[in-house]
Amino acid sequence: MINATQIRGARAMIGMSIEELAAASGLPVETVAALEKGEFAGEPHALFDVRSTLEAHGIIFLSSGNQDEGGPGIRLRARTSSDDGIRPENLNAANDD
């Protein structure tokens, strides 16, 4: 099971807007927003759809205890292309979205 923080973090990590995630997962924006707030009740398939969509975009969900320390988390799947993403020195508020 993934949590709301993982969903928000995963979406931010790949630079996907809430509207883009909703469209890619076939869900209303309101449903995705509710999932990101931790409101999972009443939408059992929605969590699966969001998780599948994010995984298809390169996200790996880590459960509590998967790594050395800490709780649940996320990471990017190893890249297979030459796209290196945004270099740390180029990170700024303009490319947060």
Side-chain angles (χ1 to χ4, degrees), residues 1-19:
M1 174 89 148
I2 62 173
N3 63 43
T5 304
Q6 286 175 296
I7 295 170
R8 288 190 310 272
R11 186 172 59 76
M13 185 177 276
I14 59 175
M16 182 179 268
S17 72
I18 197 165
E19 293 82 10

Side-chain angles (χ1 to χ4, degrees), residues 8-97:
R8 288 190 310 272
R11 186 172 59 76
M13 185 177 276
I14 59 175
M16 182 179 268
S17 72
I18 197 165
E19 293 82 10
E20 291 169 330
L21 178 55
S25 61
L27 297 169
V29 172
E30 296 79 17
T31 300
V32 176
L35 292 174
E36 287 193 355
K37 292 177 187 171
E39 300 167 1
F40 299 116
E43 296 289 343
H45 73 283
L47 192 57
F48 175 80
D49 293 344
V50 165
R51 180 181 183 143
S52 297
T53 300
L54 291 169
E55 288 175 336
H57 282 84
I59 295 294
I60 297 173
F61 290 95
L62 306 172
S63 61
S64 182
N66 259 7
Q67 301 298 320
D68 296 331
E69 291 185 28
I74 56 173
R75 63 171 288 194
L76 285 173
R77 186 178 312 118
R79 295 179 186 261
T80 57
S81 70
S82 62
D83 178 17
D84 290 332
I86 300 173
R87 306 252 337 132
E89 61 269 14
N90 296 329
L91 290 173
N92 57 48
N95 53 33
D96 279 349
D97 292 332

